[in-house]
PDB file of all heavy atoms in Angstrom:
ATOM      1  N   PRO J 130       4.410   8.202   1.172  1.00  0.00           N
ATOM      2  CA  PRO J 130       4.188   7.905   2.594  1.00  0.00           C
ATOM      3  C   PRO J 130       4.997   8.866   3.456  1.00  0.00           C
ATOM      4  O   PRO J 130       6.239   8.917   3.342  1.00  0.00           O
ATOM      5  CB  PRO J 130       4.656   6.470   2.732  1.00  0.00           C
ATOM      6  CG  PRO J 130       5.709   6.324   1.661  1.00  0.00           C
ATOM      7  CD  PRO J 130       5.326   7.237   0.536  1.00  0.00           C
ATOM      8  N   PHE J 131       4.339   9.613   4.306  1.00  0.00           N
ATOM      9  CA  PHE J 131       4.933  10.781   4.944  1.00  0.00           C
ATOM     10  C   PHE J 131       6.170  10.455   5.780  1.00  0.00           C
ATOM     11  O   PHE J 131       7.207  11.106   5.639  1.00  0.00           O
ATOM     12  CB  PHE J 131       3.875  11.487   5.799  1.00  0.00           C
ATOM     13  CG  PHE J 131       4.349  12.788   6.367  1.00  0.00           C
ATOM     14  CD1 PHE J 131       4.836  13.789   5.541  1.00  0.00           C
ATOM     15  CD2 PHE J 131       4.322  13.019   7.734  1.00  0.00           C
ATOM     16  CE1 PHE J 131       5.279  15.010   6.058  1.00  0.00           C
ATOM     17  CE2 PHE J 131       4.750  14.233   8.255  1.00  0.00           C
ATOM     18  CZ  PHE J 131       5.235  15.220   7.419  1.00  0.00           C
ATOM     19  N   VAL J 132       6.077   9.490   6.654  1.00  0.00           N
ATOM     20  CA  VAL J 132       7.212   9.163   7.526  1.00  0.00           C
ATOM     21  C   VAL J 132       8.392   8.661   6.704  1.00  0.00           C
ATOM     22  O   VAL J 132       9.545   9.074   6.907  1.00  0.00           O
ATOM     23  CB  VAL J 132       6.802   8.112   8.584  1.00  0.00           C
ATOM     24  CG1 VAL J 132       8.036   7.630   9.359  1.00  0.00           C
ATOM     25  CG2 VAL J 132       5.774   8.696   9.542  1.00  0.00           C
ATOM     26  N   GLU J 133       8.112   7.790   5.754  1.00  0.00           N
ATOM     27  CA  GLU J 133       9.173   7.171   4.959  1.00  0.00           C
ATOM     28  C   GLU J 133       9.934   8.171   4.088  1.00  0.00           C
ATOM     29  O   GLU J 133      11.107   7.948   3.756  1.00  0.00           O
ATOM     30  CB  GLU J 133       8.584   6.055   4.097  1.00  0.00           C
ATOM     31  CG  GLU J 133       8.174   4.816   4.866  1.00  0.00           C
ATOM     32  CD  GLU J 133       6.851   4.956   5.610  1.00  0.00           C
ATOM     33  OE1 GLU J 133       6.200   6.028   5.506  1.00  0.00           O
ATOM     34  OE2 GLU J 133       6.450   4.006   6.312  1.00  0.00           O
ATOM     35  N   ILE J 134       9.289   9.270   3.695  1.00  0.00           N
ATOM     36  CA  ILE J 134       9.997  10.253   2.861  1.00  0.00           C
ATOM     37  C   ILE J 134      10.670  11.341   3.693  1.00  0.00           C
ATOM     38  O   ILE J 134      11.272  12.265   3.133  1.00  0.00           O
ATOM     39  CB  ILE J 134       9.054  10.909   1.827  1.00  0.00           C
ATOM     40  CG1 ILE J 134       7.926  11.700   2.502  1.00  0.00           C
ATOM     41  CG2 ILE J 134       8.504   9.862   0.878  1.00  0.00           C
ATOM     42  CD1 ILE J 134       7.033  12.445   1.526  1.00  0.00           C
ATOM     43  N   GLY J 135      10.578  11.232   5.006  1.00  0.00           N
ATOM     44  CA  GLY J 135      11.281  12.186   5.858  1.00  0.00           C
ATOM     45  C   GLY J 135      10.421  12.903   6.876  1.00  0.00           C
ATOM     46  O   GLY J 135      10.932  13.667   7.703  1.00  0.00           O
ATOM     47  N   GLY J 136       9.116  12.694   6.824  1.00  0.00           N
ATOM     48  CA  GLY J 136       8.237  13.243   7.847  1.00  0.00           C
ATOM     49  C   GLY J 136       8.265  14.754   7.945  1.00  0.00           C
ATOM     50  O   GLY J 136       8.356  15.475   6.942  1.00  0.00           O
ATOM     51  N   LEU J 137       8.207  15.251   9.167  1.00  0.00           N
ATOM     52  CA  LEU J 137       8.121  16.696   9.400  1.00  0.00           C
ATOM     53  C   LEU J 137       9.356  17.430   8.888  1.00  0.00           C
ATOM     54  O   LEU J 137       9.257  18.575   8.433  1.00  0.00           O
ATOM     55  CB  LEU J 137       7.905  16.966  10.888  1.00  0.00           C
ATOM     56  CG  LEU J 137       6.574  16.433  11.456  1.00  0.00           C
ATOM     57  CD1 LEU J 137       6.548  16.594  12.973  1.00  0.00           C
ATOM     58  CD2 LEU J 137       5.391  17.149  10.822  1.00  0.00           C
ATOM     59  N   ASN J 138      10.518  16.788   8.950  1.00  0.00           N
ATOM     60  CA  ASN J 138      11.731  17.429   8.432  1.00  0.00           C
ATOM     61  C   ASN J 138      11.645  17.623   6.915  1.00  0.00           C
ATOM     62  O   ASN J 138      12.086  18.640   6.380  1.00  0.00           O
ATOM     63  CB  ASN J 138      12.968  16.593   8.780  1.00  0.00           C
ATOM     64  CG  ASN J 138      13.322  16.689  10.253  1.00  0.00           C
ATOM     65  OD1 ASN J 138      13.024  17.686  10.908  1.00  0.00           O
ATOM     66  ND2 ASN J 138      13.946  15.651  10.781  1.00  0.00           N
ATOM     67  N   PHE J 139      11.060  16.631   6.224  1.00  0.00           N
ATOM     68  CA  PHE J 139      10.878  16.761   4.774  1.00  0.00           C
ATOM     69  C   PHE J 139       9.929  17.920   4.478  1.00  0.00           C
ATOM     70  O   PHE J 139      10.183  18.722   3.572  1.00  0.00           O
ATOM     71  CB  PHE J 139      10.317  15.465   4.197  1.00  0.00           C
ATOM     72  CG  PHE J 139      10.034  15.542   2.716  1.00  0.00           C
ATOM     73  CD1 PHE J 139      11.040  15.323   1.792  1.00  0.00           C
ATOM     74  CD2 PHE J 139       8.760  15.844   2.239  1.00  0.00           C
ATOM     75  CE1 PHE J 139      10.795  15.401   0.429  1.00  0.00           C
ATOM     76  CE2 PHE J 139       8.496  15.923   0.884  1.00  0.00           C
ATOM     77  CZ  PHE J 139       9.518  15.704  -0.035  1.00  0.00           C
ATOM     78  N   LEU J 140       8.843  18.021   5.221  1.00  0.00           N
ATOM     79  CA  LEU J 140       7.888  19.109   5.009  1.00  0.00           C
ATOM     80  C   LEU J 140       8.566  20.456   5.189  1.00  0.00           C
ATOM     81  O   LEU J 140       8.391  21.364   4.361  1.00  0.00           O
ATOM     82  CB  LEU J 140       6.713  18.973   5.981  1.00  0.00           C
ATOM     83  CG  LEU J 140       5.710  20.128   5.959  1.00  0.00           C
ATOM     84  CD1 LEU J 140       5.003  20.217   4.612  1.00  0.00           C
ATOM     85  CD2 LEU J 140       4.694  19.984   7.095  1.00  0.00           C
ATOM     86  N   ARG J 141       9.325  20.618   6.246  1.00  0.00           N
ATOM     87  CA  ARG J 141      10.009  21.890   6.508  1.00  0.00           C
ATOM     88  C   ARG J 141      10.977  22.231   5.370  1.00  0.00           C
ATOM     89  O   ARG J 141      11.095  23.387   4.964  1.00  0.00           O
ATOM     90  CB  ARG J 141      10.737  21.829   7.843  1.00  0.00           C
ATOM     91  CG  ARG J 141       9.802  21.675   9.051  1.00  0.00           C
ATOM     92  CD  ARG J 141      10.582  21.699  10.356  1.00  0.00           C
ATOM     93  NE  ARG J 141       9.702  21.481  11.504  1.00  0.00           N
ATOM     94  CZ  ARG J 141       9.637  20.332  12.196  1.00  0.00           C
ATOM     95  NH1 ARG J 141      10.418  19.317  11.855  1.00  0.00           N
ATOM     96  NH2 ARG J 141       8.804  20.216  13.213  1.00  0.00           N
ATOM     97  N   ALA J 142      11.665  21.207   4.860  1.00  0.00           N
ATOM     98  CA  ALA J 142      12.634  21.439   3.787  1.00  0.00           C
ATOM     99  C   ALA J 142      11.945  21.820   2.482  1.00  0.00           C
ATOM    100  O   ALA J 142      12.375  22.743   1.787  1.00  0.00           O
ATOM    101  CB  ALA J 142      13.499  20.195   3.594  1.00  0.00           C
TER     102      ALA J 142
END
Side-chain angles (χ1 to χ4, degrees):
F131 187 56
V132 172
E133 288 78 2
I134 63 176
L137 296 173
N138 287 333
F139 177 84
L140 174 64
R141 295 183 183 105

